[in-house]
Structure formats: structure tokens, C-alpha cells
């Protein structure tokens, strides 16, 4: 794993955004894997600024997102569909039909997982996948204990994840119990992965990732088995490295 240490959140966001911009400029039909949460917001802001200032186009690009809550409609402000439209898609020129996010309202969730997995396979995999990391080491919503062989599947969210995400909801009771997530094997097939981390609250998770062993109890550790992973993190998140 390559590690790039940045001075702060802004520099982390700039570096990751530049990688995505370079990717779509050299390969306009690239498939970019996107993440939600607080960490990638700055990256999306930079992509929008660059699109407006320099005209970088996403007309031929495709995006796939890591995950979505089960039981929340795409127009609910808490859904990741809504998040992505608000934070990125509505402000760049990507056609919405080229943006794929699991449908957490699907009647048959298993079928939806297979459909989403096929979408990724049909696209010939993800060229560049953006990841955040949970305090418990989750990537996407793959919680500790998830098999490294997993494909897109329905998960029961860890209590710690629901607590961490309660800040986006009126109360913790409103945080969905389940989600659909890209599986670990699916994530590992991405040609290139960028993992972002910012702030001292992520420092222990990053230290465990860098210094710890590869183990299903710490899902992000699987990334050590991937050939092209770059951690871009600010100095607070890297304070124990
Ligand atoms: P965060 O979430 O960016 O909101 O910290 C990251 C994650 O849980 O994967």
C-alpha cells in the first residue's frame, strides 16, 4: 500500500480529486467507484469546481456506489441516492442513467444484489474505487467478520456504525438496521483503490490497517492483498504511523 500524508483535509481532498480528474481525462469511459459519508465530500466539491472551471466532462463516464440503506427511498434526504445527487451528480454533466447505486427499496433484495453485481461485471469492473474507512475497519458496509469472498449482499449494520451515522438522522432509532453493500471480493477486483481518512478519530483504524495483520475481523486489512492501493490521509489520521 502506498501512503500519502497530507497536511489537512483540503489537501487530501485535492489529491484524490486530481486522481479522478486524471482518470476521466485519460479514459473518458472510466468506471469510478464512489463512496458516501463525510470524508469524500471535499473530493466531490473539488470535482465540481474543476468541472465548472476547466470543463472536465463525465458524459461518457460511469459511476458505481458502494452501498445504500435498505428501506429508504431514493428521494429521502438520508438516502445515498440523494446524497450523491446533492453532493456531485446534479453539479456535473454525468447522465444519471450512468450512475449506479444499489436500490434499497427493491422488493427482492437478493435479486437486487445480483443485479448490482452484474452491472459491475458488465462494466468490466471498477477502474478507480474511492473508499472511506469505518472506526471498526469497515469498507463499504462490510462490517467485521464479513467474508473476504463476499459479493454484493445485504448486511445488518453494526451498532457502532449505526451510532456513527446517527449524526445524519433525527435519532439513532431512525438509522436503518440494514444496507446493501458491494462485497469485499467485488471491491478487491477494482483496478485501483484510493482509501481516504481524515482526522484523529480515524488514527487508530489507520494504524491497525497499516501495522496489523490481514484478518476478516478488520475488513480493511484485505487491502494489503491488493496490488494498487493508495491511502491518502491527513497527518491527524496518520499520527500513529
Ligand atoms: P465517514 O464514513 O466518511 O463519514 O467517516 C466512513 C465510513 O464509515 O466508511
Amino acid at each position: 500500500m502506498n501512503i500519502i500524508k497530507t497536511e489537512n483535509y483540503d489537501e487530501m481532498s485535492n489529491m484524490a480529486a486530481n486522481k479522478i480528474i486524471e482518470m476521466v481525462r485519460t479514459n473518458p469511459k472510466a468506471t469510478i467507484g464512489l463512496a458516501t459519508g463525510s470524508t469524500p465530500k471535499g473530493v466531490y466539491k473539488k470535482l465540481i469546481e474543476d468541472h465548472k472551471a476547466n470543463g472536465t466532462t463525465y458524459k461518457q463516464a460511469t459511476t458505481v456506489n458502494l452501498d445504500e440503506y435498505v428501506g429508504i427511498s431514493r428521494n429521502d434526504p438520508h438516502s445515498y441516492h440523494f446524497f450523491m445527487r446533492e453532493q456531485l451528480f446534479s453539479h456535473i454533466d454525468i447522465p444519471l442513467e450512468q450512475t449506479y447505486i444499489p436500490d434499497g427499496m427493491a422488493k427482492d433484495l437478493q435479486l437486487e444484489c445480483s443485479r448490482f453485481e452484474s452491472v459491475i461485471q458488465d462494466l468490466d469492473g471498477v477502474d478507480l474505487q474511492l473508499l472511506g474507512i469505518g472506526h471498526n475497519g469497515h469498507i463499504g458496509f462490510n462490517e467485521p467478520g464479513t467474508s473476504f469472498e463476499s459479493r454484493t449482499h445485504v448486511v445488518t449494520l453494526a451498532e457502532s456504525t449505526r451510532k456513527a451515522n446517527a449524526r445524519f438522522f433525527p435519532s439513532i432509532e431512525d438509522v436503518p438496521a440494514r444496507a446493501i453493500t458491494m462485497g469485499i471480493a467485488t471491491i478487491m477486483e477494482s483496478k485501483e483503490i484510493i482509501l481516504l481518512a481524515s482526522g484523529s478519530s480515524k488514527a487508530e483504524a489507520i494504524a491497525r490497517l497499516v501495522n496489523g495483520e490481514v484478518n476478516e475481523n478488520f475488513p480493511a486489512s484485505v487491502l494489503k492483498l491488493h496490488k494498487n492501493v493508495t491511502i491518502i490521509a491527513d497527518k491527524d489520521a496518520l499520527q500513529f504511523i
Side-chain angles (χ1 to χ4, degrees), residues 17-48:
N18 285 339
K19 290 226 177 208
I20 295 175
I21 291 163
E22 196 185 308
M23 168 71 70
V24 293
R25 287 199 169 171
T26 45
N27 175 11
K29 293 188 173 171
T31 298
I32 312 289
L34 300 176
T36 49
S38 302
T39 314
K41 279 186 175 179
V43 176
Y44 301 149
K45 193 162 161 267
K46 305 281 176 196
L47 293 183
I48 295 166

Side-chain angles (χ1 to χ4, degrees), residues 5-14 197-199 232-236:
K5 186 194 267 192
T6 69
E7 201 48 37
N8 52 37
Y9 177 80
D10 210 42
E11 196 190 342
M12 175 201 78
S13 304
N14 253 328
S198 169
I232 306 180
D234 60 24
K235 63 177 192 309
D236 290 343

Side-chain angles (χ1 to χ4, degrees), residues 36-40 132-135 138-141 161 165 167-168 202:
T36 49
S38 302
T39 314
I133 183 167
H135 299 114
H138 74 202
I139 46 175
F141 272 137
T161 299
N165 290 4
R167 67 189 194 277
F168 300 114
K202 295 292 169 73

Side-chain angles (χ1 to χ4, degrees), residues 176-193:
R178 292 187 304 160
I180 295 179
T181 184
M182 211 187 265
I184 292 184
T186 324
I187 292 172
M188 286 293 281
E189 281 172 5
S190 309
K191 291 164 195 105
E192 181 176 357
I193 295 175

